[in-house]
Amino acid sequence: MAPHSTSSQPPSGDAEPQPTSTTSPSEITVLASSRAVINSKVTPATIVLSTRTGKITSITPSVLPPSSFPAGTTYKDHTPHILLPGLVDAHVHLNEPGRTEWEGFWHGTRAAAFGGVTTVIDMPLNAIPPTTTVAGMKEKVAAARGQCWVDVGFYGGIIPGNVGELKPLIQEGVRGFKGFLIDSGVEEFPAISPEDMRKVFVELADEPTTVMFHAEMLPPVAAAGGEAAPSGPPELYQTFLDSRPATFETCAISEIINNAHLAPNLPLHIVHLSAIEAIPLLRKAQQAGIKITAETCFHYLSLAAERVQAGDTRHKCCPPIRSQSNQDGLWHELLEAGGVISTVVSDHSPCTPDLKLLASHIPPASRDAKASGRTASNQGDFMSAWGGVSSVGLGLSILWTEASRRQLDQNQTILDIVNWCCINTAKQVGLEARKGDLRVGMDGDIAVFDDEAEFEVGPRTMLFRNKCSPYEGKVLKGVVQETWVRGKKAHSRADGFGERMGPMGELILERREKKAIR
C-alpha cells in the first residue's frame, strides 16, 4: 500500500508524498480527478480532506489509486470532471428575517450549494431589520443559525445617521459595508448623500473593511429638473432602460472617486457594474493609486436588452441589463489583463412573483393564472415592478454557457472563472486564507464540475424560494455534480439533498484582518 500524507505543505513535483502520521479511514475523505484547478493550472490531482477539521491536508499532482489510502477510506475519482474551489458569491440578498417570503437562508443557501457555491455573503437589505446596527446584525445571525447549507458571511449597511454603528459592526464580524447613492427601493434602507459618504470615509479610514456602493446617482441636472416622463409604454423594456442611463453610474462613480482622498488606505468597491462607460473612470482612478475595484454580474454577461420581451419584468434590475454591445464590452474588460473588473457575482435579489407584475404569458404567471397583485393596468409594467434578478446557484453554468457561445479557450476560461468567482471574491471579503482556492490548509470547499453536461432551468433546478427568473427555459451547459463544504458533502446531483446531508453551513463572524482588496 502506498503511504498517505497529512503534510502541511503541498508536495513538490510529481513525487508521491511521504507519511508524517498514521491516519484512520474515518479521518479523511479523498477526491481525485484528471482535471483540477491547482496553483492556477488545470492538472491531475488527488485532494485529501480531513473529516475532523474540514481542511485540505494534502494535494498530490496525480491521480492516486484507492490503494494509496487506508482500507475503508471514502474515495472517489471524479475523472473527467473538474475539481474547482467552491465559489464565493459575494453578493446575495437572503432577506431573512422580515421578508422571508421573498427568500430565506434555508432555500437561498441550498440553491447556492446546487451550483457549487460554498460561501455566500449576505447583503444588509432587504431584511427587516436591515444590518445597519449591531442589534440588527444579531437578529440576522439568530435567524440564520441552523438553516444554512453553505457558509454565510454578512455585510453591514450604511444609511444616513448610522456612522456610530459602523466600527461596532466591524467588531461583530461584518465582511464590509454597502451604501446606496440612489433610492434602494425599500424605506428602511435610505440612500446616503455625498456628505454622508464623506463622514463614512473619515470614520472607516483605518479600519480593516471594504466600503461598497450601489453606484447609481441622479446627475445634478436631472436631480434639479425632477423625474423625467417615461420615454414609452411601461411594458417595453426600452422605456425602463431609458430611465436608468449610463450617466447614473458614471456620476456616482465620479463622486466616490472624488472623495476617496479622505481615506487613501480604505478599499472601495463598486457593486454590480453594468455600464462600460464607467470603466475608463475606474482605470484612471486605479492608475492614480486609489484602492477601488468593481464587480459585475452573471446577468450583465449573459442577457441583453435587445432580447427582452415586452412585459418580461423578470429582467428588471438596477442598474439595468444593457445592450449586447455593452455586454461585449464587459467581457472584453474581464478578459483584459489587469482589467478593472475583478469579480463576478449573482446579486441574487429575489421577491415574490406578484411584485414582479408579470405579464400573463410570462412564467411563473403563466403557470398560475390566479397570481395575486396583477391587474389589467399593471401587468408587465417595468416601471412599477420590483427590480432584481434571481440566479444564485446558476452562475457557474451561466458563465460556462456564455464562454462556450463565445468560443473561448476552455482551460483558460475555467481558470478565469476561478479567479473571478472564487479567489478574488474571497479576497474582497477578507477570506482568502480560508476560501476560494484549493491549497493545503484551506477549507475543504470543492465543486465537482461536469463541463459537458447540460440542464434546462426550470422549477426543479431553481432551488431558491420563488421560481421566478429570466433564466427559466434556458438550457445551460455545465453541471455541478457534487458540492463539498469544509470536507462534507453538501449536495450531490446523484443523491440529491438527502436527510444525511442536512444544513451544515457555518456563520462567518470573525473580524477581518487589515488587508487591501488586491
Side-chain angles (χ1 to χ4, degrees):
M1 178 188 296
H4 161 62
S5 169
T6 56
S7 62
S8 60
Q9 297 295 324
S12 59
D14 294 325
E16 190 174 301
Q18 296 301 308
T20 58
S21 65
T22 302
T23 305
S24 71
S26 63
E27 291 181 341
I28 60 171
T29 295
V30 180
L31 305 180
S33 178
S34 59
R35 294 190 295 167
V37 177
I38 309 292
N39 294 327
S40 300
K41 294 186 295 184
V42 179
T43 178
T46 302
I47 303 173
V48 178
L49 310 174
S50 167
T51 58
R52 290 186 300 104
T53 67
K55 302 289 186 180
I56 297 172
T57 60
S58 73
I59 300 175
T60 304
S62 62
V63 177
L64 298 178
S67 59
S68 297
F69 305 95
T73 295
T74 300
Y75 172 99
K76 187 166 184 180
D77 181 356
H78 286 282
T79 301
H81 302 155
I82 310 172
L83 303 183
L84 305 176
L87 277 67
V88 178
D89 192 339
H91 193 143
V92 177
H93 294 264
L94 293 173
N95 300 347
E96 188 175 5
R99 289 192 175 96
T100 310
E101 71 276 14
W102 293 18
E103 187 59 280
F105 289 101
W106 197 91
H107 286 91
T109 59
R110 190 169 180 258
F114 174 86
V117 177
T118 55
T119 307
V120 302
I121 312 298
D122 178 58
M123 279 292 166
L125 72 164
N126 301 300
I128 303 174
T131 315
T132 53
T133 64
V134 169
M137 172 80 165
K138 290 183 182 298
E139 283 197 50
K140 176 72 71 82
V141 169
R145 290 198 187 281
Q147 291 208 73
C148 301
W149 293 79
V150 303
D151 291 349
V152 176
F154 304 92
Y155 288 125
I158 299 168
I159 61 173
N162 83 324
V163 170
E165 293 278 354
L166 303 184
K167 287 181 180 177
L169 280 166
I170 291 173
Q171 294 299 323
E172 293 292 319
V174 296
R175 314 313 303 173
F177 292 95
K178 179 184 180 181
F180 277 70
L181 296 176
I182 198 168
D183 179 33
S184 73
V186 293
E187 63 181 1
E188 65 275 3
F189 204 97
I192 60 173
S193 67
E195 180 57 30
D196 293 323
M197 182 198 306
R198 289 188 279 273
K199 291 177 182 177
V200 169
F201 284 179
V202 171
E203 179 75 2
L204 299 180
D206 296 310
E207 294 296 318
T209 193
T210 300
V211 175
M212 310 180 301
F213 293 95
H214 179 123
E216 286 185 289
M217 188 177 183
L218 285 173
V221 173
E227 196 169 305
S231 63
E235 68 274 12
L236 295 184
Y237 182 73
Q238 188 63 46
T239 303
F240 169 64
L241 183 57
D242 290 342
S243 76
R244 312 285 288 220
T247 51
F248 280 28
E249 291 189 69
T250 55
C251 180
I253 290 170
S254 293
E255 188 70 37
I256 295 161
I257 291 169
N258 289 340
N259 286 287
H261 67 278
L262 297 171
N265 296 318
L266 178 65
L268 307 175
H269 186 71
I270 306 303
V271 301
H272 50 50
L273 181 75
S274 94
I276 58 173
E277 290 86 347
I279 290 172
L281 297 174
L282 292 166
R283 181 174 293 114
K284 185 177 179 180
Q286 287 185 351
Q287 290 170 347
I290 294 174
K291 295 182 177 180
I292 189 167
T293 53
E295 68 189 36
T296 193
C297 301
F298 305 126
H299 42 278
Y300 300 133
L301 296 170
S302 61
L303 305 174
E306 295 91 333
R307 298 195 294 273
V308 180
Q309 296 180 56
D312 192 352
T313 52
R314 297 174 301 177
H315 291 79
K316 179 180 178 179
C317 59
C318 300
I321 294 161
R322 302 193 188 276
S323 66
Q324 181 62 59
S325 62
N326 188 87
Q327 181 194 118
D328 294 342
L330 292 174
W331 271 99
H332 179 269
E333 185 65 19
L334 267 176
L335 296 170
E336 189 79 10
V340 301
I341 302 173
S342 57
T343 54
V344 184
V345 297
S346 69
D347 187 13
H348 175 66
S349 186
C351 65
T352 53
D354 58 293
L355 295 177
K356 276 292 188 183
L357 305 179
L358 296 163
S360 59
H361 64 286
I362 303 296
S366 60
R367 297 194 298 267
D368 181 11
K370 297 181 180 180
S372 63
R374 292 184 295 106
T375 67
S377 64
N378 67 9
Q379 281 191 38
D381 185 340
F382 278 100
M383 302 305 292
S384 301
W386 172 261
V389 170
S390 293
S391 66
V392 68
L394 301 178
L396 175 56
S397 300
I398 291 168
L399 286 181
W400 190 249
T401 301
E402 184 62 24
S404 299
R405 186 183 74 80
R406 292 171 178 272
Q407 299 182 315
L408 301 179
D409 178 83
Q410 291 194 344
N411 270 8
Q412 185 57 52
T413 294
I414 207 67
L415 296 176
D416 286 339
I417 290 174
V418 167
N419 278 324
W420 303 332
C421 302
C422 307
I423 293 172
N424 291 347
T425 45
K427 287 180 182 176
Q428 180 187 316
V429 296
L431 291 174
E432 65 270 34
R434 290 183 54 189
K435 305 289 187 182
D437 206 356
L438 298 180
R439 291 187 281 115
V440 170
M442 303 282 279
D443 286 356
D445 295 356
I446 298 175
V448 181
F449 185 56
D450 182 346
D451 58 322
E452 293 295 332
E454 297 181 338
F455 71 100
E456 181 175 339
V457 180
R460 296 184 64 184
T461 52
M462 294 184 289
L463 301 191
F464 31 86
R465 183 182 289 275
N466 291 292
K467 319 304 181 186
C468 181
S469 172
Y471 292 102
E472 181 165 358
K474 297 184 185 299
V475 175
L476 298 181
K477 185 176 182 180
V479 171
V480 173
Q481 296 292 348
E482 291 182 3
T483 302
W484 292 75
V485 178
R486 283 175 289 102
K488 296 179 181 179
K489 192 189 297 183
H491 166 67
S492 166
R493 187 80 170 184
D495 302 331
F497 292 90
E499 289 298 321
R500 63 188 178 82
M501 289 185 207
M504 61 182 62
E506 71 172 24
L507 305 184
I508 300 170
L509 299 172
E510 72 266 23
R511 193 174 189 268
R512 284 183 60 166
E513 295 182 23
K514 188 171 176 57
K515 291 182 180 179
I517 300 175
R518 40 184 320 194

